[in-house]
Amino acid sequence: MKFSVVIPVYNVKDYLEKCVQSVLAQRGEYEILLVDDGSTDGSGALCDALAARAPETIRVIHKPNGGLGDARNVGLEHARGEYLVFLDSDDYLDPSMLEELSRTVEETRAEIVTFGFRVDNGGDTSQVCIDPLPEGRVFTLADTPELLLALPNAWTRIYARRLFLDSGIRYPGRVWYEDIRTTTKLFAVARSVVSVHRPYYYYVVRENSITRNKNIARNREIIDAFDDLLGWYREHGLFARYRDELCRLAIDHLFLAASVRVLTADPKHALLGEFYSYMREHFPDFEKNRYAAQLPRAKKLAFALLLRRRYRLLAALFRAKNRAGR
């Protein structure tokens, strides 16, 4: 069997059927593993009903709630496919995805195949995101360190299942930012990576996503995630080699994205100082990072204001931008 599509399920009854149908529309060899992570809204029963309609394709695993990462781990342990596809249960796939990626796998035998996605914002799917990675050749992190600058989402790539089994790398449970802790390690151990510049995945914007979550304090988990990641790279003797790339990764996800999420809710929150101090501790000269010059114009402005700790001004600019966009 070529693919195991692992779908963690937790209280997504309104989205699940569309998600599963997008996989059943695929051509090729695949199975679907629905991992019910202790749902309380009837999603677990819906998993069973969907499996009853396609028993040769869908298997259901019911488990106590352990978080998204734990559900993925359970899925990969039970998978029978050569390659893993991680699909969030509120998202869906392009109907050509598995057939076309099967050809890519057969041609390259790559351990990771990365691809793009479309953002589905209320039905508008015009926004396309594709990482600027080389297309048409097999590469590794060693010869293409810019791989670490790719979005770390689990769902914008497929993985040889043996990559997890041989390395022992797994997703952490019950945390935010589980992808940063995991994908970036898989990049380091993969012996072959291929990039396909097509948006096969549809990411559905929901109000309760991390980027829109109202629990400001949980944004501190980005520090825990980078402690995990940087510690792993140091432990494996890779930190010095990829210091510039890891610094830019921290700029993007900790110093910029997490800071903006916090300051738009509370420009006086103590976490803003923690983020700044963390960057100074681990990357003392981070404002001189060679990749920082590649930041888009709007992010360069945010970067400059965060360096000067002009949190209220940056919050005001975001409020003005949001009002103008209405």
Side-chain angles (χ1 to χ4, degrees):
M1 183 178 295
K2 186 73 71 179
F3 299 106
S4 291
V5 183
V6 177
I7 307 178
V9 176
Y10 180 72
N11 292 355
V12 284
K13 187 171 62 174
D14 294 338
Y15 298 86
L16 183 58
E17 187 153 4
K18 180 177 180 178
C19 171
V20 171
Q21 289 300 327
S22 77
V23 185
L24 293 175
Q26 305 288 320
R27 294 182 179 180
E29 300 175 52
Y30 65 87
E31 65 172 352
I32 300 172
L33 284 86
L34 298 176
V35 184
D36 171 30
D37 191 37
S39 296
T40 60
D41 71 337
S43 294
L46 179 56
C47 287
D48 293 332
L50 292 169
R53 298 180 205 167
E56 71 288 349
T57 302
I58 300 175
R59 287 188 285 146
V60 180
I61 303 168
H62 297 285
K63 60 180 287 295
N65 181 259
L68 175 61
D70 185 61
R72 286 178 181 160
N73 293 338
V74 169
L76 75 87
E77 294 291 349
H78 286 80
R80 298 168 182 162
E82 184 183 2
Y83 281 81
L84 297 169
V85 180
F86 293 113
L87 171 57
D88 286 358
S89 49
D90 46 358
D91 299 335
Y92 56 100
L93 305 179
D94 183 278
S96 66
M97 175 174 154
L98 296 188
E99 182 179 21
E100 294 186 9
L101 291 184
S102 180
R103 288 198 292 267
T104 301
V105 165
E106 289 168 3
E107 292 167 3
T108 66
R109 305 309 300 173
E111 292 185 324
I112 297 178
V113 180
T114 183
F115 46 87
F117 68 98
R118 290 183 181 273
V119 177
D120 183 337
N121 194 348
D124 179 359
T125 60
S126 58
Q127 182 182 348
V128 176
C129 301
I130 298 176
D131 288 314
L133 294 170
E135 191 175 30
R137 69 174 175 88
V138 177
F139 56 92
T140 65
L141 180 61
D143 60 52
T144 309
E146 294 82 7
L147 177 59
L148 272 177
L149 309 186
L151 288 172
N153 306 319
W155 34 263
T156 51
R157 44 197 56 92
I158 61 172
Y159 314 82
R161 183 168 175 259
R162 67 175 182 272
L163 197 57
F164 286 90
L165 301 181
D166 293 348
S167 68
I169 294 171
R170 296 293 187 273
Y171 292 94
R174 297 188 183 282
V175 296
W176 280 7
Y177 310 108
E178 70 283 334
D179 291 352
I180 289 177
R181 300 171 184 243
T182 309
T183 305
T184 44
K185 298 172 187 175
L186 293 170
F187 286 160
V189 300
R191 291 167 292 189
S192 52
V193 182
V194 167
S195 177
V196 178
H197 290 191
R198 281 204 57 186
Y200 289 119
Y201 192 96
Y202 285 79
Y203 169 75
V204 177
V205 176
R206 292 177 62 196
E207 284 300 320
N208 61 347
S209 67
I210 287 178
T211 55
R212 299 185 175 205
N213 195 287
K214 305 300 183 184
N215 188 346
I216 303 174
R218 286 208 68 179
N219 281 280
R220 195 187 186 285
E221 293 186 36
I222 191 68
I223 291 177
D224 300 331
F226 271 92
D227 279 344
D228 180 333
L229 171 61
L230 300 183
W232 188 91
Y233 268 75
R234 288 189 174 100
E235 179 185 345
H236 289 79
L238 298 172
F239 180 81
R241 182 174 186 174
Y242 298 111
R243 182 185 184 280
D244 286 348
E245 290 76 25
L246 292 167
C247 178
R248 171 61 196 270
L249 192 70
I251 288 171
D252 283 342
H253 296 278
L254 190 153
F255 192 62
L256 284 173
S259 291
V260 166
R261 279 195 295 272
V262 171
L263 68 82
T264 50
D266 179 4
K268 296 181 180 180
H269 201 284
L271 269 177
L272 296 167
E274 286 192 56
F275 295 153
Y276 182 90
S277 297
Y278 190 89
M279 294 299 300
R280 283 288 176 226
E281 177 184 354
H282 294 274
F283 306 101
D285 56 348
F286 72 94
E287 69 272 23
K288 299 176 184 177
N289 179 266
R290 65 191 179 98
Y291 292 106
Q294 300 174 6
L295 287 168
R297 183 176 177 181
K299 287 188 175 181
K300 280 184 179 177
L301 174 59
F303 187 53
L305 291 175
L306 286 170
L307 284 171
R308 294 162 60 191
R309 306 194 195 194
R310 300 295 299 275
Y311 305 133
R312 296 180 68 178
L313 174 57
L314 187 54
L317 290 175
F318 271 96
R319 287 195 296 270
K321 179 183 176 182
N322 290 337
R323 285 196 298 269
R326 288 174 184 171

